[in-house]
């Protein structure tokens, strides 16, 4: 057990790593100090020092709209550090949120931050910093990643940064889901994207325990209970409101916090619900429309399917996520028929295809596809966009099929603009393929996954690989069941206005005075949001119609807005929801952000968004006549888009990559003596190979290597890693003792991220074991680059599968429709103490079905409990299991002393009068 205040590599999960920390004999180690000059000169490693204490999320949730405040509290004692410092922290916010304001409290002084053009805000902050005044700057690196810089942090003084934002809950069945990201994960950056602004959303540092904590305190109206699969909750009612906190108080921010609830007013919700805000000054109306299709649809003739499966085999998917993804593919394949067509693509740095195009789903092809999936275990980077473009470009037959591309990934990439442009370009094709996303991670890139599914006309679902939560393969089974549900095809929302803007969705004309918003194919009962701005006088009534394949499902009529009076009417209140305009503005700003990196012609993109391309681009012209050379033309276009982004960002009061919030205290203070980077927590389920194990105190901006992940050198030679964060005027190189040759400082993280995770683990172990410099390996970065350039098969280095052990053999002893096959309290077999169940195998006696699921009743269900015998951790249909050979992965952890129970349920009584003998094995 090592004290984390003393040893920065102490790990909370009990895996110790000893590091000898030399010090001068003249300076006894009486107390931890972050960076005394004497210890720097002696080559003593800096201690872990974290000026950020905690982050609190508070606010109110009314209906689907959450008005939230994120408070980041910075403070430290003189004993911890006697100097005035600057702190930098890169933190996440929801990608679809509208950041509306920032307040800063310097001790007793509170300042409202100003939203300004980014270059001007950065200069204001830099001037204040250089003059010794306290200041704060918040910039947007990616739609869901922000950087906070705080100058003038002094010992024994507290600085609090309050960020206000509005977030829209997502419909989930009959209820709602709110996802709050708590950490950022390293994202793969293509070599040709390194210089792009959107590639900067990388964590400044990553540790298992970053030293700061997260707390939650929300109030819900009209809600009886809130649930969470990610965090234990403490709930209480007060004044008709439900107050929700984390049961554990302050928690490690290593996963998203996901809240779900059922609103009492939505149990019988109509097909269309509209939240409205009239912009009287701009002669427009902003609306948020909830489209809730009927929960049932009359069954008709089955439509043949074309399913293209894209499976992420990059390094970040290593472990349970990889196993669950492969299981999902096998389950999809098992459900195909000869009338369907399919293809399978495995992607990382390159994409490997089962066939050149979709093939018939006959038994021989399906068996070959399973073998193809299980045979290839190579890994690398995350070229999601390249793989998606190949999938969408495959040949289509002439049959009228329901065409879907199903992507299973953690979406840890930075080139969102290009990826989303592929989905949008596909959406206008006659025989379009819908894009669905299964995002597997504790801290996924949820913004990209949601946008990709929305613009691709598909569905996005999020799963976790946490073995303490539900079994991931079971969750995937539930999702795949939903994929086979009845579908409402070609759903559109018709508005009786000719000029309509819909964020993230395609709008087409429907006659001379109507517009139609494409909603794609939606499973029956699944609700979706539409954010739109309707140009025209709010005084005119508005009609919206929901159509499926041209057939009307529902109609909603909005009355005219009342003129302003001394006594506002109820209609005025209903039409005065600034949060609606803020949410639409946030989506509008996001569209402009993505337009800069979409790869589509700029004129076409601007026209799609409702702008006049000639008018916008004229603002970026630098010469007359226009430039001949592409570089100069591109500069003018970039300037024009940036100017438009600044204009729209300031108009809606929403932060963007082209603007920033800045607050400066006018009173004189003390000059900054050192800069500290605040680390993010490594997301639960991620490999230690992605850790940056040292947060250097007293560093300049260049002391931490930028975590820009590139393709392996074998495919695209990566440029030299940058030597700093890219903040102006503070560049300072690493001390030579800390730098690896040719790596820009420390390990070459670009090469490390490109290498397979098992390779990264092996290198991490070797670097810990030895090397020059008291446990450091000065050539570690070079070794990683050399090995990452070679094709590596993860399976060749992975340990052998856990041995399977029988826990039941015989005829299931049914009583009351269930048979207990194993109970750790009473069964003769015994499970090892505190382990993870990784695999399940079931064999049925010959003559009762064997590997053929046909004779086995579809209702038979295997249920696995851990400790809580009311809430199963895994649910497996026996037919699905036998159809795939009887073996499937598990990802369920149990602790010593907890009860593990496996039960076979037979609700229809299919085996009540004569069950066959079965054998059940666990690894």
């Amino acid at each position: 057990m090592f004290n984390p205040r003393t040893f920065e590599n102490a790990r909370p999960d009990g895996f110790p790593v000893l590091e000898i920390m030399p010090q001068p004999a003249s300076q006894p180690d009486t107390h931890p100090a972050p960076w005394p000059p004497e210890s720097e000169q002696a080559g003593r490693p800096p201690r872990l020092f974290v000026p950020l204490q905690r982050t609190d999320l508070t606010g109110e949730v009314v209906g689907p709209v959450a008005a939230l405040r994120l408070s980041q509290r910075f403070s430290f004692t003189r004993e911890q550090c006697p100097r005035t410092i600057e702190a930098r922290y890169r933190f996440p916010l929801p990608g679809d949120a509208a950041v509306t304001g920032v307040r800063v409290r310097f001790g007793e002084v509170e300042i409202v931050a100003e939203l300004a053009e980014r270059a001007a805000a950065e200069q204001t902050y830099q001037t204040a910093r250089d003059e010794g005044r306290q200041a704060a700057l918040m910039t947007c690196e990616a739609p869901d990643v922000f950087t906070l810089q705080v100058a003038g942090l002094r010992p024994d003084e507290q600085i609090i940064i309050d960020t206000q934002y509005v977030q829209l809950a997502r419909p989930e069945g009959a209820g709602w889901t709110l996802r709050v990201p708590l950490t950022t994960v390293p994202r793969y950056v293509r070599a040709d994207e390194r210089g792009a602004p959107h590639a900067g959303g990388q964590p400044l540092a990553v540790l298992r325990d970053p030293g700061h904590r997260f707390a939650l305190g929300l109030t819900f109206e009209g809600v009886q209970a809130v649930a969470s699969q990610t965090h234990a909750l403490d709930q209480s009612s007060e004044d008709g409101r439900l107050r929700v906190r984390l049961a554990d108080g302050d928690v490690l921010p290593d996963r998203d916090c996901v809240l779900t609830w059922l609103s009492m007013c939505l149990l019988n919700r109509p097909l269309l619900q509209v939240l409205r805000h009239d912009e009287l000054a701009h002669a427009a109306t902003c609306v948020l429309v909830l489209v809730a299709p009927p929960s049932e649809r009359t069954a008709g003739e089955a439509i043949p399917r074309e399913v293209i499966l894209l499976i992420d085999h990059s390094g970040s998917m290593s472990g349970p996520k990889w196993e669950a993804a492969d299981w999902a593919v096998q389950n999809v394949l098992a459900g195909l028929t000869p009338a369907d067509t399919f293809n399978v693509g495995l992607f990382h740095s390159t994409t490997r295809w089962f066939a050149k195009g979709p093939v018939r789903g006959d038994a021989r092809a399906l068996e070959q596809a399973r073998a193809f999936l299980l045979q290839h275990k190579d890994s690398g980077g995350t070229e999601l966009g390249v793989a998606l473009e190949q999938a969408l470009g495959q040949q289509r037959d002439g049959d009228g099929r329901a065409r879907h591309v199903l992507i299973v990934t953690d979406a840890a990439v930075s080139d969102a603009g290009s990826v989303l442009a592929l989905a949008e370009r596909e959406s206008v094709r006659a025989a379009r393929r819908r894009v669905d996303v299964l995002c597997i991670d504790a801290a996924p890139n949820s913004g990209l996954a949601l946008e990709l599914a929305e613009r691709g006309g598909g569905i996005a679902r999020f799963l976790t690989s946490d073995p303490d939560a539900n079994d991931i393969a079971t969750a995937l089974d539930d999702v795949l069941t939903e994929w086979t549900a009845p579908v409402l095809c070609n759903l559109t929302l018709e508005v009786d206005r000719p000029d309509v803007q819909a964020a993230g969705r395609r709008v087409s004309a429907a006659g001379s005075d109507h517009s139609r918003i494409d909603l794609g194919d939606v499973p029956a009962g699944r609700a979706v949001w539409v954010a739109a701005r309707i140009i025209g006088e709010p005084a005119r009534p508005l009609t919206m119609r929901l159509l499926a394949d041209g057939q009307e499902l529902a109609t909603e009529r909005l009355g005219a807005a009342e003129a302003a009076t001394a006594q506002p009417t109820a209609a005025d209140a209903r039409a005065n929801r600034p949060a609606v305009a803020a949410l639409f503005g946030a989506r509008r700003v996001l569209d402009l952000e993505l337009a800069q990196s979409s790869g589509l012609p700029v004129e076409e993109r601007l026209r799609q968004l409702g702008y006049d391309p000639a008018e916008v681009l004229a603002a970026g012209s630098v010469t007359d006549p226009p430039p001949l050379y592409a570089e100069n033309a591109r500069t003018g276009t970039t300037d024009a888009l940036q100017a438009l982004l600044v204009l729209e960002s300031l108009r809606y009061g929403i932060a963007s990559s082209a603007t920033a919030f800045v607050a400066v205290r006018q009173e004189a203070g003390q000059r900054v003596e050192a800069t500290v980077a605040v680390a993010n927590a490594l997301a639960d389920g991620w490999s230690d190979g992605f850790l940056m194990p040292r947060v250097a105190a007293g560093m300049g901006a260049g002391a931490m290597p930028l975590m820009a992940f590139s393709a392996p050198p074998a495919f695209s030679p990566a440029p030299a890693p940058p030597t700093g964060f890219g903040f102006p005027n503070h560049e300072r190189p690493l001390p030579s003792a800390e730098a690896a040759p040719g790596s820009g400082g420390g390990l070459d993280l670009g090469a490390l991220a490109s290498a397979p995770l098992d390779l990264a683990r092996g290198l991490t172990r070797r670097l810990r074991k030895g090397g020059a410099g008291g446990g450091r390996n000065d050539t570690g970065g070079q070794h990683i680059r050399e090995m990452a350039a070679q094709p590596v098969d993860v399976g060749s280095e992975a340990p052998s599968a856990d041995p399977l052990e029988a826990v039941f053999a015989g005829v299931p002893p049914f009583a009351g429709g269930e048979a207990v096959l194993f109970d750790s309290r009473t069964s003769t077999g015994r499970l090892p103490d505190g382990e993870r169940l990784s695999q399940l195998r079931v064999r049925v006696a010959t003559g009762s079905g064997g590997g053929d699921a046909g004779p086995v009743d579809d209702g038979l269900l295997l249920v696995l409990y851990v400790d809580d015998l009311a809430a199963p951790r895994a649910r497996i249909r026996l037919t699905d299991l036998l159809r795939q050979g009887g073996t499937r992965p598990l990802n369920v952890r149990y602790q010593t002393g907890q009860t593990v129970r496996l039960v076979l349920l037979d609700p229809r009584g299919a085996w009540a009068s004569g069950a066959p003998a079965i054998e059940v094995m666990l690894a």
Side-chain angles (χ1 to χ4, degrees):
M1 300 288 292
F2 294 128
N3 185 346
R5 292 187 59 191
T6 302
F7 294 94
E8 65 189 38
N9 56 1
R11 289 176 43 158
D13 56 3
F15 183 84
V17 179
L18 177 63
E19 180 177 341
I20 306 300
M21 305 179 72
Q23 62 187 19
S26 60
Q27 183 181 344
D29 188 14
T30 56
H31 62 271
W35 54 78
E38 299 86 353
S39 64
E40 279 189 0
Q41 295 171 4
R44 175 178 173 179
R47 305 286 180 80
L48 178 62
F49 171 67
V50 186
L52 175 63
Q53 287 188 329
R54 57 183 281 164
T55 298
D56 293 86
L57 183 68
T58 58
E60 295 183 343
V61 181
V62 181
V65 179
L68 306 176
R69 181 178 65 191
L70 189 73
S71 298
Q72 295 162 321
R73 184 176 304 171
F74 292 84
S75 179
F76 58 91
T77 65
R78 186 168 297 277
E79 181 185 28
Q80 291 175 299
C81 174
R83 300 187 180 188
T84 299
I85 68 169
E86 176 190 42
R88 291 182 184 152
Y89 177 41
R90 191 157 285 163
F91 65 97
L93 285 174
D96 56 350
V99 179
T100 57
V102 175
R103 291 177 177 265
V104 184
R105 280 176 279 173
F106 299 103
E108 299 299 324
V109 178
E110 181 173 283
I111 299 176
V112 178
E114 177 187 357
L115 182 65
E117 193 273 329
R118 179 163 178 162
E122 289 176 336
Q123 184 58 54
T124 299
Y125 172 82
Q126 185 62 39
T127 300
R129 180 188 184 278
D130 293 344
E131 293 175 353
R133 288 180 288 143
Q134 291 182 311
L137 175 71
M138 195 177 84
T139 55
C140 178
E141 315 306 333
D144 58 345
V145 180
F146 290 75
T147 298
L148 180 64
Q149 300 179 75
V150 184
L153 283 165
R154 300 191 289 243
D156 302 316
E157 182 184 62
Q158 185 170 261
I159 294 181
I160 299 178
I161 316 294
D162 286 340
T163 302
Q164 292 90 31
Y165 69 92
V166 181
Q167 184 178 358
L168 195 61
R170 296 278 173 169
E172 197 70 45
W176 302 96
T177 294
L178 191 72
R179 177 174 289 270
V180 180
L182 303 186
T183 189
T184 60
V185 300
R187 292 179 181 174
Y188 179 82
V189 179
R190 290 169 48 86
D192 59 356
E193 295 271 341
R194 279 198 168 199
H198 52 267
Q202 307 289 352
L204 301 181
V206 181
L207 295 173
R208 279 288 179 198
D209 185 347
H212 51 88
R213 293 296 182 263
F214 170 79
L216 179 76
L218 298 181
T219 300
F220 290 77
E221 287 192 5
V223 175
Q224 291 182 332
V226 177
S228 175
Q229 290 189 351
T230 59
H231 295 80
L233 301 178
D234 183 17
Q235 306 179 45
S236 61
S237 296
E238 183 178 336
D239 300 328
R241 297 181 174 185
L242 183 68
R243 300 188 181 277
V244 176
R245 294 179 175 83
L246 298 181
D248 297 327
D250 300 345
V251 299
L252 182 70
D254 65 344
R255 69 197 68 193
D256 287 3
C257 179
V258 182
L259 305 174
T260 59
W261 68 94
L262 183 66
S263 179
M264 290 180 287
C265 64
L266 291 177
L267 292 175
N268 295 302
R269 63 188 176 198
L271 296 182
L272 285 178
Q273 287 181 290
V274 182
L275 300 177
R276 166 182 176 182
H277 177 74
D278 291 329
E279 296 183 303
L280 298 177
H282 297 94
T285 299
C286 290
V287 294
L288 285 170
V289 185
L290 178 65
V291 179
S295 58
E296 296 182 357
R297 186 188 185 196
T298 304
E301 185 179 351
I303 301 175
R305 297 167 293 178
E306 177 206 79
V307 180
I308 299 180
L309 301 162
L310 270 183
I311 312 304
D312 188 345
H313 274 187
S314 65
S316 60
M317 290 288 291
S318 177
K321 292 194 293 183
W322 185 309
E323 296 172 0
D326 284 0
W327 164 261
V329 177
Q330 294 180 69
N331 215 0
V332 172
L333 294 176
L336 297 179
T337 70
D340 302 320
T341 60
F342 77 96
N343 202 356
V344 179
L346 311 177
F347 72 92
H348 45 84
S349 300
T350 58
T351 306
R352 188 193 305 269
W353 287 99
F354 168 66
K356 291 183 178 181
V359 298
R360 295 283 175 182
D362 56 51
R364 183 167 178 263
L366 294 175
E367 187 58 38
Q368 290 174 339
R370 292 190 195 97
F372 165 81
L373 173 72
L374 299 176
Q375 174 186 355
H376 298 295
K377 301 296 182 182
D378 49 306
S379 183
T382 316
E383 292 289 356
L384 169 60
V386 174
L388 178 58
E389 187 169 36
Q390 292 178 15
L392 296 176
Q394 292 187 12
Q395 185 175 359
R396 304 157 207 249
D397 59 30
D399 299 337
R401 299 184 179 277
R403 306 180 191 275
H404 284 258
V405 176
L406 172 57
I407 308 172
V408 184
T409 180
D410 57 13
V413 298
S414 67
D415 56 336
S418 298
V419 172
L420 296 177
L422 292 173
E424 290 187 354
R425 189 173 64 182
E426 177 70 16
S427 67
V428 299
R429 300 193 61 166
R432 67 176 294 189
R433 291 181 169 113
R434 309 284 178 175
V435 180
D436 307 306
V437 185
L438 291 181
C439 206
I440 308 178
D441 200 13
N445 188 351
S446 58
L448 173 58
L450 289 167
E451 286 293 323
L452 181 56
E454 189 168 291
R455 297 174 191 239
I459 301 170
R461 287 295 299 270
F462 298 91
L463 308 171
T464 176
S465 59
D466 181 7
D468 290 324
N470 284 342
D471 171 49
I472 187 171
T474 295
L476 278 169
D477 290 345
D478 294 341
V479 172
L480 295 171
T481 298
E482 182 175 316
W483 247 265
T484 62
V487 172
L488 293 161
C489 295
N490 299 317
L491 208 62
T492 58
L493 182 65
E494 185 178 275
V495 184
D496 63 343
R497 290 286 196 282
D499 196 352
V500 175
Q501 303 165 348
R505 297 185 182 275
R506 187 166 296 276
V507 181
S508 59
S512 59
D513 56 353
H514 285 64
S515 301
R516 283 187 178 175
I517 304 172
D518 177 38
L519 306 184
D521 296 345
V522 181
R526 169 167 286 279
V528 295
W529 277 110
V530 180
R533 187 168 184 262
I534 303 166
I535 309 300
E537 291 296 336
R540 178 182 166 189
L542 187 68
T543 301
M544 297 183 180
R545 295 198 309 151
L546 180 64
L547 308 173
D549 279 330
Q551 300 297 314
E552 182 174 320
L553 298 178
T555 299
E556 179 74 10
R557 292 181 175 85
L558 305 180
E562 300 290 338
T565 62
Q567 298 295 327
T569 65
D572 292 327
R574 289 194 298 271
N576 183 24
R577 294 186 175 95
V580 173
L583 287 166
F584 173 78
R587 298 300 307 273
R588 195 68 168 164
V589 166
L590 176 61
D591 281 336
L592 289 173
E593 297 268 19
L594 297 172
Q596 301 180 79
S597 58
S598 67
L600 294 175
V602 174
E603 293 84 354
E604 176 187 345
R605 193 72 183 105
L606 289 172
R607 198 173 291 109
Q608 289 174 358
L609 296 177
Y611 296 100
D612 182 349
E615 180 181 339
V616 172
L617 297 178
S621 298
V622 294
T623 62
D624 186 19
L628 294 177
Y629 286 93
E631 292 87 340
N632 298 328
R634 188 161 50 246
T635 299
T637 299
T638 301
D639 291 345
L641 289 176
Q642 281 290 99
L644 178 60
L645 181 56
V646 170
L647 182 67
E648 293 290 72
S649 177
L650 296 178
R651 172 188 174 182
Y652 289 103
I654 303 298
S656 71
S657 64
T659 57
F661 283 101
V662 62
V664 175
R665 187 174 181 180
Q666 297 304 314
E667 295 85 352
Q670 297 176 337
R671 290 182 180 275
V672 169
E673 300 174 79
T675 297
V676 177
V678 177
N680 293 96
L682 181 67
D684 181 69
W686 278 62
S687 164
D688 287 353
F690 288 91
L691 287 173
M692 292 183 67
R694 190 176 304 286
V695 181
M699 66 176 191
M704 301 282 289
L706 179 67
M707 300 183 71
F709 299 167
S710 65
F715 300 102
S716 176
T723 57
F725 292 123
F727 297 106
N729 305 324
H730 327 120
E731 300 295 344
R732 185 161 73 104
L734 265 173
S736 59
E738 295 287 316
S743 69
L747 295 178
D748 184 343
L749 294 172
L752 176 60
S754 302
L757 264 291
D758 282 350
L759 169 60
R761 292 194 189 99
L763 289 167
T764 303
R765 287 194 293 269
R766 288 198 284 274
L767 291 174
R768 285 174 177 165
K769 287 180 179 178
R776 292 193 185 95
N777 187 334
D778 293 334
T779 60
Q782 181 62 30
H783 285 316
I784 293 173
R785 285 192 297 275
E786 291 173 354
M787 297 183 71
Q790 305 299 323
V792 179
D793 189 330
V794 173
S796 65
E797 294 196 5
S800 58
D802 295 330
L804 284 157
E805 296 184 4
V807 295
F808 178 83
V811 176
F814 281 101
E818 68 175 43
V820 177
L821 305 182
F822 177 80
D823 190 316
S824 59
R825 299 170 301 179
T826 58
S827 298
T828 56
R830 182 177 179 276
L831 296 176
D833 291 338
E835 292 286 351
R836 180 176 72 91
L837 301 176
S838 61
Q839 197 176 68
L840 169 71
R841 178 179 297 169
V842 174
R843 293 174 178 169
V844 180
T846 304
S848 61
D852 180 5
V856 177
D857 185 79
D858 192 55
L860 289 164
L861 191 70
L862 281 167
V863 181
L864 179 66
Y865 301 90
V866 175
D867 212 36
D868 185 353
L869 301 184
R873 292 271 289 277
R875 304 175 304 279
I876 305 107
R877 285 199 307 172
L878 193 58
T879 52
D880 291 342
L881 190 61
L882 296 178
R883 190 168 51 198
Q884 299 189 49
T887 302
R888 60 158 283 169
L890 282 175
N891 184 36
V892 176
R893 182 184 293 138
Y894 63 91
Q895 304 296 331
T896 302
Q898 289 185 325
T899 300
V900 178
R901 196 181 200 200
L902 184 64
V903 178
L904 178 61
L905 301 181
D906 183 13
R908 301 173 183 171
W911 283 2
S913 59
I918 65 173
E919 180 185 42
V920 181
M921 307 180 77
L922 288 173

